[in-house]
């Protein structure tokens, strides 16, 4: 840990990560905040190590960018839990940790003995956390899901895309992230509750559908208050409010409120010499400009055609017109602000020298959380068995000889 990194706020907390895709980000958050996160994977390695996109590094090795990000800072215990000796090790581990992240699929949980009742029978102080597509209760509790299904079933996807085309879902696993964030928050609240109630753990059950619904204004609060879903607006909303092309990409302009429109109108007048843009008919609320959307958008398109993304953004900021450039991945890697605040960090990787990953967006008193290395398959097996379970060298050698550990 360097002077620019925060001490582990969850230091002393142990987490066993047995979860799947929708919950793996919660484990990464715990690791960033200083918890000891033990990733239990098969002796051949978890399938998540091969999740695309696979990025070919300079030495020709292809690594999973997704796994690198999600596993950074975790310790790998390569264990065959299907054999009695491996299951015994896992049971002992569950008895001494604070949180267990379990798979979301109810059938998989039951078949692997990872359902909350079985886990908490081993320890009544352990917190069992899961993310399922629709929760662990109700008529859809056995339905399977995915990030895309989370967007679709929550209603959030309904309002995304062009109005004359089918809806679309954002990329990047944002539905999984919404569920994982809620899972992490619920787990930490359960830790706090355990301190107050004499040491008894709880079951934290997160529905991905409800998690996305809770953060989607159009599908959640606005729907319940207005009684009808938000319609898809597409890239262009009204007048000078929406997404517009510039010389090297796209920008989002928000000229919605009267003061925002006044600033935008002055810009159009100053640069394009359009006198009509200052007419009273365009002032006031956005509804007054709706009838003239085609005319105003033509003016805005002409203005945008004169600028690059960054130049337009800076001029918009100078004129107090809310605006954001729509960044590509290359833009983000060279963004001077992200570089200045240390948003990117190079971490060790078992197959290549290092990989560049984003930091967690958590700063305590201005100090960023550290990011640990990406673990190799079973890299920490011996260490975990010694430190956490008190295993002897003879026990470890015996389990390695019979294939229980890698």
């Amino acid at each position: 840990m360097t002077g620019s990194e925060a001490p582990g706020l969850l230091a002393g907390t142990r987490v066993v990560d047995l979860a799947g895709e929708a919950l793996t980000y919660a484990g990464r958050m715990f690791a960033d905040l200083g918890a000891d996160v033990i990733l239990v994977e098969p002796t051949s390695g978890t399938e998540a190590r091969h999740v695309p996109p696979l990025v070919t590094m300079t030495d020709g090795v292809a690594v999973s960018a997704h796994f690198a990000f999600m596993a950074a800072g975790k310790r790998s215990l390569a264990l065959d839990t299907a054999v009695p000796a491996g299951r015994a090790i896992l049971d002992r581990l569950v008895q001494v940790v604070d949180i267990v992240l379990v798979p979301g699929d109810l059938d998989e949980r039951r078949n692997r003995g990872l359902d909350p009742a079985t886990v908490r029978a081993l320890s009544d102080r352990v917190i069992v956390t899961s993310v399922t597509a629709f929760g662990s209760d109700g008529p859809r509790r056995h339905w399977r899901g995915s990030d895309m299904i989370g967007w679709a079933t929550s209603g959030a996807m309904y309002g995304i895309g062009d109005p004359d085309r089918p809806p679309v879902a954002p990329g990047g696993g944002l539905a999984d992230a919404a569920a994982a964030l809620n899972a992490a928050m619920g787990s930490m609240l359960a830790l706090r509750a355990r301190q107050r109630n004499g040491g008894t753990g709880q079951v934290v059950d997160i529905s991905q559908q409800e998690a996305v619904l809770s953060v989607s204004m159009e599908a959640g609060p606005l729907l319940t208050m207005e009684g009808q879903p938000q319609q898809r607006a597409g890239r262009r909303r009204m007048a000078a409010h929406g997404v517009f092309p510039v010389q090297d990409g796209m920008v989002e302009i928000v000229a919605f409120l009267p003061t925002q429109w006044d600033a935008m109108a002055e810009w159009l007048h100053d640069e394009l010499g359009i006198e009509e843009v200052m007419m009273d008919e365009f002032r006031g609320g956005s509804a007054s400009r709706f009838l003239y959307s085609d005319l105003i958008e033509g003016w805005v398109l002409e203005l945008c055609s004169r600028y690059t993304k960054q130049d337009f953004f800076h001029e918009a900021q100078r004129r107090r017109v809310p605006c954001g450039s729509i960044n590509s991945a290359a833009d983000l890697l060279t963004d001077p602000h992200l570089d200045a605040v240390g948003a990117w960090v190079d971490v060790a990787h078992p197959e290549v020298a290092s990989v560049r990953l984003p930091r967690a967006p958590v700063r305590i008193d201005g100090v960023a959380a550290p990011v640990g290395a990406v673990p190799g398959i079973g890299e920490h097996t011996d260490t975990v068995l010694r430190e956490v379970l008190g295993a002897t060298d003879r026990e470890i050698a015996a389990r390695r000889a019979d294939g229980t550990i890698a």
Side-chain angles (χ1 to χ4, degrees), residues 112-301:
R112 295 177 61 188
L114 296 174
D115 56 283
T118 301
V119 174
R120 297 198 68 242
L122 297 168
S123 169
D124 65 358
R125 69 181 298 278
V126 71
I127 294 160
V128 184
T129 302
S130 67
V131 167
T132 60
F134 300 98
S136 296
D137 297 307
R140 294 178 182 162
R141 63 187 179 277
H142 288 288
W143 289 24
R144 296 182 179 180
S146 65
D147 182 78
M148 182 75 76
I149 290 174
W151 279 105
T153 59
S154 68
M157 191 190 299
Y158 186 90
I160 303 175
D162 293 324
D164 58 342
R165 304 185 69 180
V168 296
L174 294 179
D176 287 340
L181 285 166
N182 278 276
M185 177 180 66
S187 300
M188 286 188 279
L189 290 173
L191 280 174
R192 176 63 171 162
R194 192 180 70 180
Q195 294 174 343
R196 298 176 135 185
N197 65 15
T200 302
Q202 296 173 310
V203 176
V204 179
D205 176 28
I206 304 296
S207 158
Q208 187 184 61
Q209 180 188 33
E210 294 176 43
V212 181
L213 178 64
S214 71
V215 296
S216 171
M217 285 297 294
E218 292 83 357
L222 289 182
L223 175 60
T224 57
M225 294 174 67
E226 295 185 352
Q228 58 183 6
Q230 183 79 14
Q231 299 300 309
R232 289 190 292 282
R235 293 165 291 174
R236 199 71 49 76
R237 297 189 177 126
M238 64 174 64
H241 181 64
V243 176
F244 292 87
V246 291
Q247 292 176 0
D248 58 348
M250 309 286 283
V251 294
E252 170 87 15
I253 303 171
V254 182
F256 191 75
L257 300 176
T259 54
Q260 297 167 348
W261 166 255
D262 288 345
M264 190 72 208
E266 185 176 348
W267 189 0
L268 291 165
H269 176 269
D270 292 348
E271 186 148 343
L272 301 181
I274 300 171
E275 297 293 338
E276 295 87 345
V277 76
M278 308 300 290
M279 292 169 56
D280 289 341
E281 286 84 347
F282 297 141
R283 306 197 68 196
S286 59
S288 63
R289 296 185 293 279
F290 182 74
L291 295 175
Y292 305 97
S293 290
D294 290 344
L295 177 63
I296 295 172
E297 288 180 6
W299 295 337
V300 177
L301 286 168

Side-chain angles (χ1 to χ4, degrees), residues 49 54-57 59-64 349 351-352:
R49 291 182 177 274
L54 300 177
V55 180
T56 302
M57 310 300 286
D59 55 3
V61 176
V63 300
S64 168
H349 190 286
E351 299 176 73
V352 293

Side-chain angles (χ1 to χ4, degrees), residues 6 338 341-343 359-369:
L338 293 178
V341 300
R359 283 188 184 275
V362 177
R363 287 175 172 78
I364 308 298
D365 286 338
V367 182

Side-chain angles (χ1 to χ4, degrees), residues 333-402:
L333 287 171
T334 57
D335 187 299
H337 172 81
L338 293 178
D339 182 62
V341 300
W344 301 103
V345 59
D346 293 322
V347 302
H349 190 286
E351 299 176 73
V352 293
S354 66
V355 290
R356 176 158 292 187
L357 300 174
R359 283 188 184 275
V362 177
R363 287 175 172 78
I364 308 298
D365 286 338
V367 182
V371 181
V374 180
I377 300 173
E379 179 180 347
H380 307 96
T381 297
D382 291 13
T383 304
V384 168
L385 295 181
R386 289 193 186 99
E387 288 182 0
V388 182
L389 299 183
T392 65
D393 290 346
R394 177 176 293 181
E395 290 173 320
I396 294 172
R399 297 289 73 79
R400 179 162 286 108
D402 64 20

